[in-house]
């Protein structure tokens, strides 16, 4: 259908698209009829662009489908991830005991039990590597119910050992020579610690209050306590007891107990995740080496790379869960790798969807540009300029 068939001009009338008509007796076209499409035209246009959209989706799917070479790389990537968790289990590369990582520090102590709370001192913070929330023995002054701490459970029973919560509560404990038990139901029972012995009971609110006072009057003590918290957690992370997984320890100490008992802790999870990410980076670089700018679209090639990483990580994690379920060997449980694949699934899905929409938009824009060029060509033939 020619939208300009209703135009009628006399042979001697000059016309110009911008300046209009120069003769008053010329019958002007019905612009509303020309510019407003009929219902049939709308239906035809909708059908046409629906087909273009469907074809664009199909083209995207075909152009991002993994090739046989991609499948080879995917297989190697999955094998590398599987070898990683099988041979580097959670109990590997650790110190036998905490003292092995503390050997460069000397222990000193001062009895300040007569004070309302026992503030830390800069010399003690610098020279004594012990922290109050490592205390499991009791002083002669202690009375009341046991704190329920021992050498085997204090890593998951004290808030100071939590990698995240410890940044606040562990720092407060070190600055005030106290410890806080990880028991939400009793609002985190807390105790004074004197000479590395649990001395008498206090509460978490006073500990935070005293820390605030120190922050106002002696901020260097809180700063040094924070640094000591980082160093202590850093050394404890490499021991066999390890440090609990953040958040889980606060929500459920019993779950942390089970995880730590199988060496599933902050160190093993972080190490597993970092190694998984490292292998993914190597695979990603190797796959991009074969990008051909003459035949491949950069963004579509990126989708194939992301698919390789996501599928290979997923295969490795499925094998890991299956292996642990059959053998009951939880020291092989690759929680770090599983967290990486969960992140990849969420992130890659979002990125692939973004690239898919870009591809469809580009296809539709090209089609509209093609129609625009055709209309401009017709207008030029009839003497109109846009």
């Amino acid at each position: 259908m020619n939208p300009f068939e209703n135009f009628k001009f006399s042979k001697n009338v000059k016309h110009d698209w911008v300046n209009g008509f120069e003769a008053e007796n010329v019958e002007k076209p019905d612009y509303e009829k020309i510019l407003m499409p009929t219902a049939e035209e709308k239906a035809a246009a909708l059908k046409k662009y629906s087909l273009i959209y469907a074809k664009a989706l199909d083209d995207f799917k075909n152009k991002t489908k993994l090739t046989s070479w991609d499948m080879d790389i995917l297989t190697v990537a999955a094998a590398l991830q599987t070898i990683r968790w099988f041979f580097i289990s959670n109990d590997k590369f650790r110190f036998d005991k905490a003292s092995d990582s503390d050997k460069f520090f000397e222990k000193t102590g001062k009895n300040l039990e007569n004070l309302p709370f026992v503030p830390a001192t800069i010399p003690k913070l610098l020279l004594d590597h012990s922290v109050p929330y490592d205390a499991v023995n009791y002083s002669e002054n202690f009375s009341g119910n046991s704190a329920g701490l021992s050498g085997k459970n204090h890593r998951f029973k004290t808030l100071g050992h939590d990698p995240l919560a410890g940044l606040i509560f562990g720092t407060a404990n070190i600055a005030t020579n106290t410890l806080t038990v990880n028991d939400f139901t009793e609002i985190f029972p807390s105790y004074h610690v004197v000479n590395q012995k649990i001395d008498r009971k206090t509460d978490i609110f006073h500990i935070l209050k005293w820390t605030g006072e120190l922050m106002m009057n002696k901020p260097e003590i809180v700063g040094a306590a924070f640094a000591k918290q980082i160093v202590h957690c850093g050394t404890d992370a490499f021991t066999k007891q390890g440090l609990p997984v953040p958040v889980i320890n606060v929500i459920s100490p019993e779950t942390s107990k089970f995880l730590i008992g199988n060496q599933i802790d902050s160190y093993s999870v972080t190490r597993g995740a970092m190694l998984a990410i490292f292998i993914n980076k190597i695979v990603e670089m190797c796959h991009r080496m074969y990008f051909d700018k003459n035949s491949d679209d950069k963004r579509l090639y990126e989708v194939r790379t992301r698919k390789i990483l996501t599928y290979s990580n997923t295969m490795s994690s499925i094998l890991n869960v299956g292996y642990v379920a059959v053998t009951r060997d939880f020291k092989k449980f690759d929680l770090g790798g599983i967290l990486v694949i969960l992140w990849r699934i969420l992130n890659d899905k979002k990125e692939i969807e973004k690239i898919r929409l870009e591809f469809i938009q580009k296809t539709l824009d090209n089609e509209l540009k093609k129609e625009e060029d055709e209309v401009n060509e017709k207008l030029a033939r009839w003497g109109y300029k846009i």
Side-chain angles (χ1 to χ4, degrees), residues 86-147:
F86 187 82
F87 288 102
I88 307 179
S89 55
N90 297 325
D91 58 338
K92 300 295 187 196
F93 308 116
R94 294 176 182 269
F95 292 111
D96 288 334
K97 50 187 181 297
S99 58
D100 291 340
S101 59
D102 298 345
K103 61 184 179 181
F104 296 109
F105 298 88
E106 297 179 358
K107 295 185 177 182
T108 62
K110 292 183 179 181
N111 193 334
L112 301 173
E113 56 186 294
N114 293 325
L115 297 177
F117 75 98
V118 185
T121 62
I122 295 298
K124 188 176 187 299
L125 289 171
L126 296 178
L127 299 176
D128 185 358
H129 189 60
S130 65
V131 291
Y133 49 78
D134 270 344
V136 294
N137 297 316
Y138 301 89
S139 73
E140 296 177 355
N141 299 324
F142 184 80
S143 62
N145 296 328
S146 168

Side-chain angles (χ1 to χ4, degrees), residues 67-347:
T67 65
S68 58
W69 171 241
D70 293 336
M71 292 302 296
D72 290 340
I73 295 180
L74 188 154
T75 303
V76 173
L80 289 173
Q81 295 288 6
T82 303
I83 290 171
R84 170 186 60 77
W85 62 254
F86 187 82
F87 288 102
I88 307 179
S89 55
N90 297 325
D91 58 338
K92 300 295 187 196
F93 308 116
R94 294 176 182 269
F95 292 111
D96 288 334
K97 50 187 181 297
S99 58
D100 291 340
S101 59
D102 298 345
K103 61 184 179 181
F104 296 109
F105 298 88
E106 297 179 358
K107 295 185 177 182
T108 62
K110 292 183 179 181
N111 193 334
L112 301 173
E113 56 186 294
N114 293 325
L115 297 177
F117 75 98
V118 185
T121 62
I122 295 298
K124 188 176 187 299
L125 289 171
L126 296 178
L127 299 176
D128 185 358
H129 189 60
S130 65
V131 291
Y133 49 78
D134 270 344
V136 294
N137 297 316
Y138 301 89
S139 73
E140 296 177 355
N141 299 324
F142 184 80
S143 62
N145 296 328
S146 168
L149 300 175
S150 67
K152 292 184 178 180
N153 69 13
H154 76 286
R155 288 285 176 89
F156 61 86
K157 291 272 288 184
T158 53
L159 273 181
H161 280 111
D162 186 281
L164 289 181
L167 295 176
I168 297 175
F169 298 103
T171 299
N173 286 153
I174 293 172
T176 60
N177 274 308
T178 56
L179 70 80
T180 302
V181 178
N182 185 15
D183 187 350
F184 179 77
T185 61
E186 295 188 17
I187 316 181
F188 305 115
S190 302
Y191 303 86
H192 290 281
V193 175
V194 177
N195 292 329
Q196 280 305 105
K197 291 184 178 181
I198 301 173
D199 189 68
R200 61 191 185 281
K201 196 166 185 178
T202 182
D203 59 73
I204 187 64
F205 304 106
H206 276 88
I207 290 174
L208 295 176
K209 176 186 175 183
W210 296 329
T211 304
E213 291 174 355
L214 286 173
M215 192 72 179
M216 294 295 293
N217 300 313
K218 295 183 178 180
E220 68 276 6
I221 289 180
V222 179
F226 180 79
K228 188 171 183 177
Q229 170 70 17
I230 299 295
V231 171
H232 184 77
C233 284
T235 56
D236 275 356
F238 298 99
T239 62
K240 285 188 175 181
Q241 278 191 312
L243 289 176
V245 178
V247 182
I248 293 178
N249 184 54
V250 177
I251 297 174
S252 175
E254 289 304 313
T255 301
S256 277
K257 178 181 179 180
F258 172 79
L259 294 176
I260 287 180
N262 290 282
Q263 310 280 243
I264 304 171
D265 56 12
S266 294
Y267 170 52
S268 65
V269 172
T270 303
R271 183 188 62 191
M274 294 303 294
L275 287 174
I277 293 171
F278 178 69
I279 292 173
N280 284 341
K281 274 298 175 186
I282 293 176
V283 173
E284 180 182 348
M285 288 188 293
C286 288
H287 186 247
R288 288 185 176 179
M289 286 174 61
Y290 293 90
F291 171 75
D292 185 354
K293 63 181 180 180
N294 295 321
S295 59
D296 295 321
D297 180 280
K298 187 176 181 180
R299 293 289 277 169
L300 299 183
Y301 194 86
E302 180 185 338
V303 173
R304 288 163 54 193
T305 304
R306 289 180 178 275
K307 284 184 177 181
I308 289 173
L309 297 178
T310 300
Y311 295 163
S312 61
N313 281 238
T314 302
M315 290 171 59
S316 175
S317 294
I318 291 173
L319 288 173
N320 177 257
V321 173
Y323 178 87
V324 172
V326 172
T327 64
R328 311 299 295 176
D329 183 4
F330 286 95
K331 290 183 179 179
K332 299 282 190 185
F333 185 57
D334 183 30
L335 181 57
I338 291 173
L339 292 176
V340 169
I341 184 54
L342 291 176
W343 179 84
R344 287 214 69 91
I345 289 173
L346 294 174
N347 185 63

Side-chain angles (χ1 to χ4, degrees), residues 42-55:
K42 288 181 180 179
L46 180 61
K47 181 179 180 180
K48 175 183 177 181
Y49 280 96
S50 295
L51 291 173
I52 293 172
Y53 180 83
K55 185 177 183 302

